[in-house]
Each structure stands twice: as C-alpha cells, then as structure tokens.
C-alpha cells in the first residue's frame, strides 16, 4: 500500500533534486502494539509492518524494490509504505500511531530526543547509513572562489533551517575561521529554494552534495571544501517506539534481514533497479545511481555511531537546541539487531 504526503514549498521551485532534509521538533507519543497478521495471495501468513519512508532516501528505494521483488513477503512481512518529504514527518507518523517505524537523520534524531526527554517512548533500533562520507561540501558563489575571506559578513550562508544543514554550515563557518555570530544566516525550506537564491545571486554559500551539487555548479558555484575536509559525516537511523520494539523484536529483525537482502539486490542489479525506480518514482536514473554508490548502508549499531550521535548531540545542546544533557545510548535498543545481525552490535553500554 502506498500513500504520499506532500509539503508546500516556501518559494518557487526552479530545479529538481533528490536531497531531502530532516528537521527537529517537540512531539511525543507511543503506540506500542503488536503487529497484526494478514494472509498473502499465496496463502502465507504475514505480519503487517507500517513503514514511514523519506522521499529520496535509501529506505524508500529499498521498500519499493523489496516489495517489487517479493523480498519482504519472503520474510513474512506485509510492508505498508507511506512516503513523507521530511524525517520529522516519518517520526510524527510513529508518534501519532499511523506508522510503526521511520527513518531520521542524526541531527534531527538527537533534537527530537532532547526536546522530548523524559516523556518520549522513541528509540533507535538500527543504524541505516551511519558514518557515510558524502560527495560535495561547501559551495560558494563565483565571486568568492578565490576570496574566501570575502564571505565574512557577505550576502549570506544558506541553511535548510531546522535540519542537519544547521550543523554543517556552523562547522563550515568555523573551518573558514569566521565568527558565526557575525554572519548572515539565510534560512531556506529546501535545496530547491537555496538554488533559487543562488540563481538570483541573493546568497553566498551553501552546503550541498550528491546529485544536487551539479545544479549549483550550473550556476557557476564552486566547491571550496569537501565534507571530508570539513570533518563532516552523516548518518540516518531507524526509530520506533520502545514498546513496539519490545513486542515485535523478531518482526523488526526480519525487516532488517529483508532490508539487507534488498540493498544487496539493488547493488547487484543497479541499472535494472534504477530503471524501475525511475518509472515508479519519477527519479533520474543517473542521479539515483550516483547517490546509491555514495550511501554506506548497513543495519546494525556500532560504538562509532554512538560516538558520532553524541558529538552531534553535544553541539546541539551547546547551541541551545534543547536543555536535556542526555547520553544517546539511553535511546538505543538492539533487540531487533540481535535477531538479525548480532555480530554487527559493537556499541558498548555501561
């Protein structure tokens, strides 16, 4: 089953792209019910799992191809998929009881947990793309390519406000040796809006990568520091309510097994998968293949991922995003991974 939730842009879209952001917010809630069973057309008993996926992200691609190939059914899962533009909406769907699982990026996850500390039932039950290195980085308008110090007090550093780009752009400003408090920070609602400002010469710099970078390059913007040079990696994680994980660890373990098998199928059949997803989702095949090769997708939970999340959490706390000084490990639940990939659990709990 497939539904699509659309958001209204704050500015005219002048180009297309694949990047989707994840925001932070203050919602709470808990569903925590046992998944119902259904019977497939071939008579096999299936457990229903409602997945909220994010537009243009690996969980969406894996859900679509896994359903097409019957991989989720193979693992006894009736996967129901609802698509959302932002990670905040996937987690809202869990909170309001319309989904069982969803994806959220690192920055948004630590903000959600920090802003709902003490009342939320949410937990991270697996890494999705933890620690992935990205192509792209800090792009600047043509007049600043050979004069980076000219960015100081310039037209503005754009950020997709409320998302991990806030964290990225703050790191980029520090890398440039500039005082963040003296910069013009231009809030945009999407990469497309940022591109519109780049086209109208109304901003100076932006963090962008993947297939979207080429659209800025077409406007004469140039890459002056890669994500690696800026010391930035990104990660996304699967979340559910703790009560749901407790009641459905085996189901979620089977989901991770199906997820991994589908990931491998896409990798082994990249052209075929790209063509299918282009027809199904309207994406550009070459953009998909370029982005897919940049994803470091592996269900599990590593100590390195916990350290990364705590680093992002510390930055968000220090910059006033929330008041709770918590440890991310309070919100990691490995029961589902223990079912599927026990060897991939290296996180250390005190």
């Amino acid at each position: 089953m497939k539904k699509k939730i659309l958001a209204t842009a704050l500015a005219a879209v002048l180009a297309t792209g694949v990047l989707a952001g994840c925001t932070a917010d203050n919602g709470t809630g808990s569903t925590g019910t046992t998944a119902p069973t259904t019977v497939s057309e071939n008579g096999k008993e299936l457990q229903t799992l409602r997945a909220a996926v994010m537009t243009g992200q690996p969980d969406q691609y894996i859900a679509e191809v896994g359903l097409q190939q019957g991989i989720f059914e193979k693992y006894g899962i009736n996967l129901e998929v609802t698509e959302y533009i932002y990670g905040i909406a996937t987690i809202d769907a869990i909170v309001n009881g319309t989904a069982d699982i969803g994806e959220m990026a690192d920055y948004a996850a630590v903000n959600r947990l920090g802003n709902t500390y003490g009342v939320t039932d949410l937990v991270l039950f697996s890494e999705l793309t933890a620690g992935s290195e990205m192509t792209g980085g800090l792009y600047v308008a043509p007049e600043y390519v050979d004069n980076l110090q000219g960015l100081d007090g310039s037209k503005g550093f754009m950020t997709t406000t409320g998302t991990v780009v806030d964290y990225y752009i703050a790191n980029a400003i520090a890398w440039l040796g500039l005082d963040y408090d003296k910069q013009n920070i231009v809030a945009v609602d999407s990469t497309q809006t940022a591109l519109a400002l780049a086209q109208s010469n109304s901003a100076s710099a932006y963090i962008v990568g993947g297939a979207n970078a080429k659209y800025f390059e077409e406007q004469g913007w140039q890459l002056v520091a890669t994500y690696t040079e800026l010391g930035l990696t990104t990660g996304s994680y699967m979340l559910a309510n703790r009560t749901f994980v407790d009641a459905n660890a085996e189901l979620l373990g089977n989901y991770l097994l199906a997820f991994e098998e589908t990931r491998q199928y896409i990798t082994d059949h990249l052209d075929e998968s790209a063509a299918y997803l282009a027809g199904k989702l309207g994406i550009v095949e070459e953009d998909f293949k370029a982005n897919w090769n940049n994803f470091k997708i592996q269900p599990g939970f590593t100590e390195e991922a916990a350290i990364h999340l705590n680093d992002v959490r510390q930055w968000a706390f220090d910059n006033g995003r929330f008041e709770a000084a918590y440890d991310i490990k309070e919100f990691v639940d490995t029961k589902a991974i223990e079912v599927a990939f026990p060897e991939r659990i290296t996180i250390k709990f005190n």
Side-chain angles (χ1 to χ4, degrees):
M1 185 171 69
K2 179 90 178 289
K3 294 180 286 182
K4 188 166 185 177
I5 309 300
L6 299 177
T8 301
L10 299 181
V13 176
L14 299 186
T16 58
V18 226
L19 183 67
C22 297
T23 60
D25 78 317
N26 299 318
T28 63
S30 175
T31 52
T33 56
T34 302
T37 59
T38 62
V39 177
S40 69
E41 291 181 1
N42 60 19
K44 183 175 182 179
E45 188 174 90
L46 307 174
Q47 283 185 284
T48 296
L49 183 63
R50 301 170 301 164
V53 303
M54 188 159 54
T55 302
Q57 295 300 301
D59 62 328
Q60 181 189 30
Y61 301 141
I62 285 173
E64 293 290 357
V65 173
L67 285 170
Q68 181 214 20
Q69 294 297 319
I71 296 173
F72 289 103
E73 183 176 337
K74 170 184 170 181
Y75 285 90
I77 298 171
N78 170 38
L79 190 69
E80 296 184 351
V81 178
T82 305
E83 178 188 350
Y84 297 87
I85 288 219
Y86 292 112
I88 180 177
T90 70
I91 306 308
D92 283 343
I94 297 172
V95 168
N96 66 33
T98 58
D100 301 315
I101 62 173
E103 177 197 0
M104 211 172 200
D106 39 24
Y107 179 82
V110 301
N111 272 283
R112 168 67 74 116
L113 297 174
N115 280 301
T116 60
Y117 188 79
V119 292
T120 185
D121 191 36
L122 290 168
V123 292
L124 292 79
F125 70 86
S126 181
E127 296 176 25
L128 181 61
T129 61
S132 293
E133 293 186 2
M134 302 165 284
T135 60
L138 178 62
Y139 275 79
V140 300
E143 60 265 38
Y144 302 105
V145 172
D146 297 318
N147 179 28
L148 294 181
Q149 290 307 303
L151 290 165
D152 195 8
S154 65
K155 286 171 288 190
F157 292 84
M158 294 184 288
T159 177
T160 315
T161 187
T163 77
V164 71
V165 181
D166 284 340
Y167 174 65
Y168 291 166
I169 207 69
N171 277 273
I173 290 170
W175 179 84
L176 289 164
L178 305 180
D179 185 341
Y180 180 90
D181 292 333
K182 294 180 179 179
Q183 306 312 311
N184 294 314
I185 306 299
V186 180
V188 297
D189 68 316
S190 66
T191 301
Q192 290 75 32
T193 304
L195 181 59
L197 294 180
Q199 289 173 325
S200 63
N201 197 28
S202 301
S204 308
Y206 188 53
I207 295 280
V208 65
N212 292 282
K214 69 180 182 183
Y215 300 114
F216 286 81
E217 291 169 358
E218 289 169 358
Q219 302 305 312
W221 284 46
Q222 292 187 35
L223 178 68
V224 296
T226 66
Y227 283 105
T228 301
E229 290 169 332
L230 295 171
L232 298 173
T233 61
T234 191
S236 58
Y237 303 82
M238 298 302 298
L239 285 85
N241 281 317
R242 191 183 301 273
T243 43
F244 186 85
V245 176
D246 288 343
N248 300 280
E250 184 174 357
L251 169 62
L252 291 176
N254 285 330
Y255 168 79
L256 294 177
L257 288 167
F259 189 96
E260 174 75 349
E261 184 171 326
T262 307
R263 179 204 64 77
Q264 190 61 54
Y265 180 89
I266 294 173
T267 300
D268 293 342
H269 304 83
L270 191 56
D271 290 339
E272 170 197 319
S273 298
Y276 172 73
L277 291 168
K280 182 76 173 180
L281 304 176
I283 63 174
V284 178
E285 291 183 42
E286 293 307 313
D287 286 353
F288 165 76
K289 289 190 285 187
N291 284 323
W292 185 261
N293 289 328
N294 290 328
F295 291 133
K296 180 183 175 183
I297 306 168
Q298 181 168 286
F301 223 107
T302 64
E303 178 67 11
E304 290 77 13
I307 292 170
H308 170 70
L309 282 165
N310 271 322
D311 287 346
V312 178
R313 176 203 54 76
Q314 189 65 52
W315 182 89
F317 175 75
D318 291 345
N319 285 272
R321 300 307 196 263
F322 47 78
E323 297 179 356
Y326 68 95
D327 186 330
I328 197 65
K329 292 181 181 180
E330 298 176 52
F331 296 98
V332 176
D333 191 317
T334 61
K335 293 185 187 70
I337 309 169
E338 289 164 10
V339 172
F341 305 108
E343 73 282 1
R344 295 184 183 177
I345 302 172
T346 63
I347 185 173
K348 299 178 180 66
F349 296 99
N350 296 330

